[in-house]
Amino acid sequence: MVTLRKQYAVARPVYSEDSLAEDHNKVYRQNKTIVDHMREYLTCLSMSWDLKRAKNSAVSLLPIISWMRTYSVREWLLGDVVSGISTGMVAIMQGLAFSLLASLPPSYGLYTAFFPMLTYFFLGTSRHISVGSFPVLSLMVGAVVTRLVPEVGPPANITGFEDLTQEQQRVLVASSVTFLMGIFQLAMGILQVGFIVVYLSDTLVSGFTTAAAIHILVSQLKFVLGLTVPGISGPLSIIYTLKEIFDQITSTNICDLVMSIAIMMVVFIVKELNDKYKAKLPVPIPIEVFMTVIACGVSYGFNFQTRYDIDVVGKMVSGYESPIAPNVEVFQESAVEAFPIAIVGFAVAFSVAKVYSIKHDYTIDGNQELIAFGVSNIFGASFRSFAASTALSRTAVQESSGGKTQIAGLISAAMAMIVTLALGFLLEPLPTSVLGALVIVNLKGMLVQFREIPYLWIRDKPECVVWVGTCLGAILLGLDLGLVVGLGVELLTVVYRTQFPRCSVLANIPGTDLYKDRKDYTHISEIPGVKIFRIPSPIFFANIEFFRDKLVETVGFNPLRVLRKRNKALRKINKRLQKKEDDVTAVTPQIYTSAAVNASSMNVDGQERPSDLKDLPFRVDWRAELPVDVTVPRVDLHSLILDFSAVSFLDISALKGLKAALKEFIRVDVEVYIVSCDECILEKLHSCRFFDEEILTSMFFPTLHDATLHVLDRSKDRSRGWVVIQQRSVMEKRGQV
């Protein structure tokens, strides 16, 4: 059923860019240089520092000021307290478990759940994310720790390792890497480069985190199976680790395996029930906490450590140790790994924060988030914590249990402090296999991302290539190199999309001023002798040749080849005229010799030019049979319209190539028009001296319909067929035909 639609009618002249500028005054803007921007910035700084500006700066640097002023104690405090307690229990368990990924004693995971949150509370702009350990970052830090302080063999030759135990060396490496990560994040925040996260697409992050989940799964198998497998880092480390595990598979500790399987099944079932009935449950069931308490009690009651020879958490650090300084030599050894850790940590945190900021209608500042996490990681690393970001599961608990502000995060940090100061000894009999099982069962959300592959393959194959390339690169080469591989593949897909865009030939929908791809509509009208070509991408050095090839393919002939054939035919005609020179001189005083034609057929820039026909005693129809034995390709086109509405920029190389292509068509008598060209591109064409005696500003039109009407108007008197209009009476008298 066709619905009634409003009609509109516009009566105006057909405009070219020149005539439009004549009828309507155009403002020519003067672009500011870098010096102008710097002068304006310094002028602003030199203005008097008033109270309002100081206040805005303080609020920007300390976002807590803005939301604390509107904090509703009566409405929000209870929710924040409940949320903080719930999140704190999850944060404690995840801190203990994820510290194993960082190759550190479990107690240091409690430090990561406490110290970074203290500074983020004041500096962060998100009110809902739970700051603390994140499995991917823990694994990336663990790879550096394992490389510099292997379980078997001597540590790296670092001065600060002297007189330290292996555990202390590992803590020093982890805190130093975290400190350097924080420096990178803080520097990026100060330099206002929070936009860097846009280069990590959702597809890339999905493939990367899936690969990280595979690494985490493999790294926890040794705890679940009760095996002693040395930590391996570097490319193909996952394969070597699996080989070690399968070599020792017969030594599996059955108690660890049975306990891990039972815990994973129970936790998985309860988590599924939490998801299914989340609308009815006021707070998700903290099943990890319950299973940890039960496992501690059973292990202590039945003395699993002695009876079944299982590894337990062991001695927990009671209280907080004095701050330590980072090691500069570790900085030098880990700078390559610390930068991707900083990028991934910020990208994950910002993505999660953005989801909840949209849901609860408040804004977050990417640059301030970089500063907040940079300071948090620097502060936490000074007290022996490792890399902090956020975890979607933990943040979901904080938000779904009623958390409104970061007071909930502060309460969760307080719970971690209580466990560290007073209750840590209760966790000493906890089997490490239980922590490994909890880590594995929490990987479900990342592992199910494999389901995106068929969807991406059907919907967007280049995106699928990014996902698979990132995932395989991160699995085989390690997370740091894998991220680089993913970025490389992503940039290659962008280059592919821009270098080989889907060009199209447009045609008019009858009765409208709309022009669509002729392949997409059944009733569509093409103007005879006119081609409308559209390129939907920037034109630059990498795709200018593709653009020219597509243009030749669209029109059905190569204008340069046509021009050369025409010049060759004219040279032969001139030779025949020379043979009849006596008769010719009786008719016309000037005859173009073959040498004259050759001299005029090359431009000063080396391009082929058409021969000068103005003094020849005939006019040539290049579509008819010629009086010489030369085959000239047929040209049925009289006008070519290029739609530049989707062209966002031209570089110098593309500008030169475009100019050459346009001249080739103009020289074979095809009129070329460019429509919907962006003002910035027009300004660049003028500044780069694009226009000359052949390429004129009158070729540019503001809309496609203007150009089409102009072409139709010019073609009214255009003769069709170009019959060879020879002055037959003269030619026959000369006997030249």
Side-chain angles (χ1 to χ4, degrees):
M1 178 180 178
V2 179
T3 58
L4 294 177
R5 297 181 177 90
K6 291 183 179 180
Q7 302 290 317
Y8 77 90
V10 177
R12 64 169 177 81
V14 174
Y15 282 125
S16 67
E17 291 286 354
D18 289 347
S19 60
L20 181 64
E22 290 174 2
D23 291 356
H24 302 277
N25 293 330
K26 183 178 178 181
V27 177
Y28 291 93
R29 292 168 294 179
Q30 184 175 4
N31 295 325
K32 292 182 179 179
T33 64
I34 296 177
V35 176
D36 294 331
H37 285 291
M38 288 296 296
R39 186 182 294 115
E40 183 178 343
Y41 178 72
L42 293 175
T43 302
C44 292
L45 288 180
S46 63
M47 295 174 62
S48 61
W49 186 267
D50 55 19
L51 183 61
K52 183 177 180 181
R53 186 171 300 157
K55 178 181 176 182
N56 291 337
S57 299
V59 171
S60 176
L61 186 60
L62 297 171
I64 185 177
I65 297 174
S66 62
W67 61 263
M68 279 297 286
R69 287 183 303 178
T70 59
Y71 189 83
S72 176
V73 176
R74 181 176 298 177
E75 296 179 8
W76 293 355
L77 183 58
L78 180 60
D80 280 341
V81 171
V82 173
S83 173
I85 294 173
S86 303
T87 308
M89 290 189 292
V90 176
I92 291 168
M93 295 303 104
Q94 290 186 348
L96 294 172
F98 296 160
S99 62
L100 297 181
L101 297 175
S103 300
L104 298 173
S107 57
Y108 291 96
L110 299 178
Y111 292 0
T112 308
F114 177 69
F115 288 107
M117 186 63 235
L118 297 181
T119 48
Y120 187 86
F121 177 78
F122 295 99
L123 300 174
T125 59
S126 174
R127 303 177 191 175
H128 292 88
I129 64 172
S130 174
V131 177
S133 56
F134 179 60
V136 177
L137 295 189
S138 302
L139 189 67
M140 296 177 78
V141 171
V144 182
V145 171
T146 303
R147 178 170 63 83
L148 297 182
V149 188
E151 293 182 6
V152 179
N157 186 19
I158 293 176
T159 305
F161 285 175
E162 297 173 359
D163 301 325
L164 297 180
T165 64
Q166 184 186 67
E167 178 180 306
Q168 292 172 333
Q169 291 172 352
R170 291 193 162 200
V171 171
L172 178 61
V173 170
S175 62
S176 298
V177 172
T178 303
F179 196 98
L180 183 58
M181 165 194 174
I183 291 176
F184 283 136
Q185 290 178 331
L186 180 60
M188 288 189 291
I190 293 174
L191 296 175
Q192 303 285 292
V193 292
F195 65 87
I196 196 171
V197 72
V198 303
Y199 293 101
L200 301 178
S201 67
D202 292 341
T203 305
L204 184 146
V205 172
S206 175
F208 180 79
T209 52
T210 304
I214 299 295
H215 277 281
I216 293 169
L217 175 63
V218 172
S219 69
Q220 297 306 292
L221 287 179
K222 64 180 181 180
F223 297 109
V224 170
L225 300 175
L227 303 177
T228 303
V229 178
I232 303 173
S233 60
L236 303 180
S237 61
I238 192 170
I239 296 176
Y240 296 135
T241 301
L242 286 173
K243 180 180 179 298
E244 288 286 340
I245 291 173
F246 283 114
D247 287 344
Q248 302 180 37
I249 197 70
T250 55
S251 303
T252 299
N253 189 306
I254 302 301
C255 180
D256 276 326
L257 180 60
V258 171
M259 188 162 39
S260 299
I261 293 175
I263 287 175
M264 284 190 286
M265 290 178 61
V266 173
V267 173
F268 178 80
I269 292 171
V270 175
K271 279 183 169 290
E272 290 296 309
L273 293 175
N274 279 340
D275 291 338
K276 186 175 181 180
Y277 298 105
K278 61 182 177 181
K280 299 180 180 179
L281 292 172
V283 177
I285 301 172
I287 185 61
E288 291 98 334
V289 177
F290 293 156
M291 297 309 298
T292 301
V293 172
I294 294 172
C296 281
V298 172
S299 175
Y300 177 77
F302 291 94
N303 197 12
F304 279 0
Q305 182 180 12
T306 304
R307 183 177 297 181
Y308 299 109
D309 193 27
I310 65 172
D311 291 329
V312 296
V313 169
K315 182 66 176 177
M316 293 283 290
V317 178
S318 179
Y320 294 106
E321 303 177 38
S322 59
I324 60 171
N327 187 284
V328 177
E329 290 184 57
V330 175
F331 283 0
Q332 297 171 349
E333 294 286 339
S334 62
V336 175
E337 292 101 329
F339 186 72
I341 294 174
I343 296 296
V344 172
F346 170 65
V348 171
F350 186 76
S351 300
V352 176
K354 187 165 61 174
V355 170
Y356 288 101
S357 69
I358 294 172
K359 181 177 179 181
H360 294 277
D361 192 24
Y362 63 90
T363 59
I364 56 173
D365 184 347
N367 294 312
Q368 181 61 28
E369 285 294 294
L370 271 171
I371 293 174
F373 276 103
V375 173
S376 296
N377 280 300
I378 290 173
F379 177 70
S382 301
F383 288 91
R384 295 176 172 81
S385 74
F386 53 88
S389 178
T390 188
L392 182 58
S393 59
R394 198 168 61 243
T395 300
V397 171
Q398 180 166 317
E399 190 268 343
S400 62
S401 56
K404 300 295 183 183
T405 65
Q406 283 300 339
I407 287 180
L410 199 62
I411 293 173
S412 70
M415 291 191 63
M417 179 186 69
I418 293 171
V419 172
T420 303
L421 295 176
L423 304 178
F425 70 94
L426 297 176
L427 298 172
E428 292 179 0
L430 178 65
T432 54
S433 58
V434 172
L435 296 176
L438 293 177
V439 170
I440 291 174
V441 79
N442 277 286
L443 296 177
K444 179 204 166 189
M446 291 191 284
L447 291 174
V448 296
Q449 293 177 139
F450 275 112
R451 294 184 299 189
E452 294 182 17
I453 295 178
Y455 173 82
L456 291 174
W457 181 254
I458 295 172
R459 306 295 181 188
D460 193 336
K461 289 180 174 59
E463 285 289 286
C464 185
V465 171
V466 171
W467 198 102
V468 174
T470 304
C471 187
L472 289 178
I475 288 174
L476 297 176
L477 302 178
L479 296 180
D480 47 355
L481 293 177
L483 183 61
V484 176
V485 170
L487 285 170
V489 174
E490 187 172 53
L491 292 178
L492 285 176
T493 61
V494 173
V495 171
Y496 172 79
R497 292 174 192 267
T498 53
Q499 189 170 351
F500 304 105
R502 181 184 176 272
C503 301
S504 57
V505 178
L506 305 183
N508 178 248
I509 297 178
T512 72
D513 61 350
L514 302 176
Y515 295 81
K516 299 292 183 181
D517 191 334
R518 64 182 180 181
K519 296 179 181 180
D520 295 338
Y521 291 83
T522 54
H523 301 291
I524 201 162
S525 173
E526 285 193 86
I527 305 170
V530 179
K531 289 288 184 186
I532 304 173
F533 182 77
R534 182 175 187 270
I535 178 169
S537 80
I539 305 177
F540 60 109
F541 66 93
N543 69 354
I544 182 61
E545 289 304 320
F546 174 82
F547 167 74
R548 297 180 66 172
D549 293 342
K550 277 292 182 181
L551 201 53
V552 169
E553 180 184 330
T554 298
V555 300
F557 63 89
N558 188 323
L560 185 58
R561 182 171 176 269
V562 170
L563 181 59
R564 288 172 177 168
K565 288 288 186 180
R566 288 184 179 183
N567 286 338
K568 182 178 179 182
L570 287 172
R571 286 194 292 268
K572 288 198 172 185
I573 292 174
N574 273 309
K575 286 181 180 179
R576 296 182 69 173
L577 286 173
Q578 283 182 319
K579 291 179 182 178
K580 305 292 183 178
E581 187 174 359
D582 294 338
D583 296 334
V584 173
T585 53
V587 179
T588 176
Q590 182 180 5
I591 299 298
Y592 271 55
T593 63
S594 177
V597 172
N598 280 331
S600 65
S601 64
M602 294 299 292
N603 197 358
V604 292
D605 58 4
Q607 283 187 295
E608 184 104 11
R609 290 177 60 90
S611 300
D612 194 346
L613 307 178
K614 63 183 179 182
D615 291 320
L616 290 180
F618 57 86
R619 184 153 60 91
V620 179
D621 176 4
W622 294 110
R623 298 177 62 186
E625 184 177 350
L626 297 176
V628 293
D629 185 22
V630 176
T631 302
V632 178
R634 182 185 179 95
V635 177
D636 294 326
L637 193 70
H638 62 75
S639 299
L640 174 64
I641 302 175
L642 303 179
D643 182 1
F644 271 31
S645 59
V647 178
S648 57
F649 72 86
L650 280 168
D651 66 3
I652 297 297
S653 300
L655 188 144
K656 293 178 181 178
L658 176 65
K659 187 172 185 177
L662 297 186
K663 287 189 174 183
E664 289 172 4
F665 281 100
I666 292 171
R667 290 170 182 175
V668 294
D669 304 320
V670 175
E671 295 179 354
V672 182
Y673 304 95
I674 297 177
V675 303
S676 303
C677 190
D678 187 82
E679 290 295 332
C680 294
I681 296 179
L682 279 174
E683 290 178 9
K684 184 169 187 177
L685 295 180
H686 281 285
S687 64
C688 294
R689 299 180 181 179
F690 182 77
F691 301 102
D692 54 25
E693 71 279 357
E694 291 181 281
I695 300 179
L696 309 173
T697 56
S698 59
M699 295 164 47
F700 287 75
F701 285 77
T703 71
L704 183 50
H705 201 54
D706 282 297
T708 305
L709 293 177
H710 174 78
V711 169
L712 289 174
D713 186 61
R714 284 181 60 85
S715 64
K716 285 180 181 178
D717 301 326
R718 191 187 303 274
S719 58
R720 299 296 180 185
W722 290 297
V723 178
V724 176
I725 304 174
Q726 300 169 343
Q727 298 175 1
R728 284 210 173 261
S729 57
V730 176
M731 298 293 285
E732 288 174 358
K733 288 178 184 178
R734 297 175 185 173
Q736 294 175 15
V737 181

